[in-house]
Amino acid sequence: MSRYLYQNLSSGELDRLHGLEAIEDPKTIECLEVLNPVDGMSCLEVGAGAGSVARWLADRVKPSGSVIATDTDVSFLDATAYRVWEHNLRTDVLPAETFDLVHIRHVLIHIPEREHASVLRKLYESLKSGGRILIEESDLLSWEVDSQAPSGLAQRFRAGVDRTLTCYRSRDMLVDLGARLEALLSSSGFVVRRSWRRWRSVMGGSPEAMYQRATALQLRRSIEDRDETLNDFAQLFANQALSYRSRTTVSVFAHKP
Ligand SMILES: C[S@@+](CC[C@H](N)C(=O)[O-])C[C@H]1O[C@@H](n2cnc3c(N)ncnc32)[C@H](O)[C@@H]1O
């Protein structure tokens, strides 16, 4: 039960990843500005997806710095802008004491909870002394339909959220990982410096809702789901009568002493 749920199974996967970047990048960049990556730094972008943050970091640390972008699937990464490694965070090693800055967003949640401590320790060991990490993950428990939504829609939305969370839990995925990040980092030896939380009010049919629609359809394909709950959930996101509170993204900045 360890296969990544959102593997590149459909022609829409690059668009889905760009949708995620459009939602998250503005706040991620605000957080990264606080960490202030500068010329000469050595950076690691883990599970880089479509690579927007790797590209931003590469612009910031040039000309003498370097960025390595890793992923199990590197097909959307641009080796002309930064270095690209095909790398599985669960099973592959990282070089020791190498990086000044590590960024990882929406990747740890896809790794079973029983492996979190060893994966965080691997990231810790890869940092130089004094090196910093920005880790960003979801707390999916804040995902809730608006109280003003028509009751039929609300019921269908809650059924879709339940189905999604049940599926994640059955794969040992921690659905409130964001809320636990600070404690996890502390117990792996990091010193937590600052954290940020963000969520949005989302309308059906908006770009964020359409990202969520693509995600529900991808989940359905991935688990070969035969009942209609996830399909119905996906269709709801296009309905302009829907409004909901998004999942919360928690960003935590910590350093290695
Ligand atoms: C939800 S996407 C997030 C992409 C990017 N970090 C972002 O926030 O825009 C998760 C990414 O993690 C990658 N991934 C999943 N499991 C991984 C693992 N064990 N090691 C490295 N990358 C992994 C996936 O291939 C995918 O690109």
Side-chain angles (χ1 to χ4, degrees):
M1 290 298 261
S2 57
R3 192 168 55 104
Y4 172 54
L5 275 174
Y6 298 98
Q7 279 182 85
N8 188 6
L9 295 174
S10 75
S11 56
E13 183 55 9
L14 180 59
D15 286 344
R16 200 184 71 83
L17 286 170
H18 282 150
L20 177 63
E21 292 177 343
I23 294 164
E24 300 287 18
D25 279 6
K27 284 289 178 191
T28 291
I29 287 167
E30 263 183 56
C31 299
L32 283 171
E33 294 280 11
V34 171
L35 277 74
N36 193 27
V38 289
D39 183 10
M41 281 189 177
S42 167
C43 303
L44 177 69
E45 172 69 16
V46 182
S52 62
V53 177
R55 183 177 297 276
W56 185 88
L57 283 170
D59 276 348
R60 285 294 294 259
V61 302
K62 70 183 182 189
S64 58
S66 66
V67 175
I68 295 171
T70 74
D71 209 293
T72 45
D73 176 356
V74 295
S75 42
F76 304 133
L77 296 176
D78 176 5
T80 65
Y82 39 77
R83 289 178 68 192
V84 174
W85 284 1
E86 190 171 331
H87 182 274
N88 187 330
L89 182 61
R90 299 175 65 192
T91 51
D92 296 334
V93 293
L94 283 172
E97 312 240 335
T98 301
F99 302 107
D100 299 295
L101 174 62
V102 170
H103 176 247
I104 172 167
R105 183 177 75 187
H106 299 313
V107 179
L108 193 62
I109 195 166
H110 297 291
I111 291 177
E113 181 185 0
R114 61 181 176 276
E115 296 176 22
H116 285 177
S118 67
V119 160
L120 285 175
R121 199 65 203 170
K122 193 183 290 189
L123 295 176
Y124 181 92
E125 299 297 346
S126 78
L127 281 169
K128 296 175 186 167
S129 177
R132 286 143 340 134
I133 186 167
L134 180 69
I135 179 162
E136 307 187 274
E137 288 296 343
S138 294
D139 179 352
L140 291 159
L141 298 183
S142 71
W143 208 9
E144 177 57 291
V145 68
D146 197 288
S147 55
Q148 310 297 316
S151 66
L153 280 189
Q155 208 175 7
R156 289 163 59 200
F157 188 88
R158 290 196 184 105
V161 170
D162 278 356
R163 183 81 184 91
T164 305
L165 299 193
T166 300
C167 172
Y168 286 2
R169 287 186 177 112
S170 74
R171 303 171 73 93
D172 196 22
M173 290 168 63
L174 207 51
V175 298
D176 60 348
L177 176 58
R180 302 190 197 205
L181 273 185
E182 287 193 23
L184 268 171
L185 286 166
S186 298
S187 60
S188 302
F190 289 97
V191 177
V192 171
R193 302 274 294 274
R194 189 165 165 186
S195 62
W196 298 260
R197 286 173 167 66
R198 54 188 186 269
W199 58 270
R200 296 155 301 276
S201 293
V202 183
M203 305 297 297
S206 65
E208 176 155 352
M210 298 316 273
Y211 159 79
Q212 218 56 74
R213 177 179 191 275
T215 299
L217 288 174
Q218 175 78 331
L219 177 61
R220 184 167 193 260
R221 256 191 304 273
S222 180
I223 63 173
E224 295 170 7
D225 193 40
R226 291 191 212 295
D227 83 34
E228 277 306 296
T229 308
L230 284 174
N231 192 36
D232 186 50
F233 192 36
Q235 304 320 321
L236 268 186
F237 288 106
N239 187 330
Q240 294 181 2
L242 177 72
S243 58
Y244 64 93
R245 176 185 161 133
S246 71
R247 61 195 161 82
T248 300
T249 305
V250 182
S251 307
V252 182
F253 156 32
H255 81 269
K256 175 178 176 176

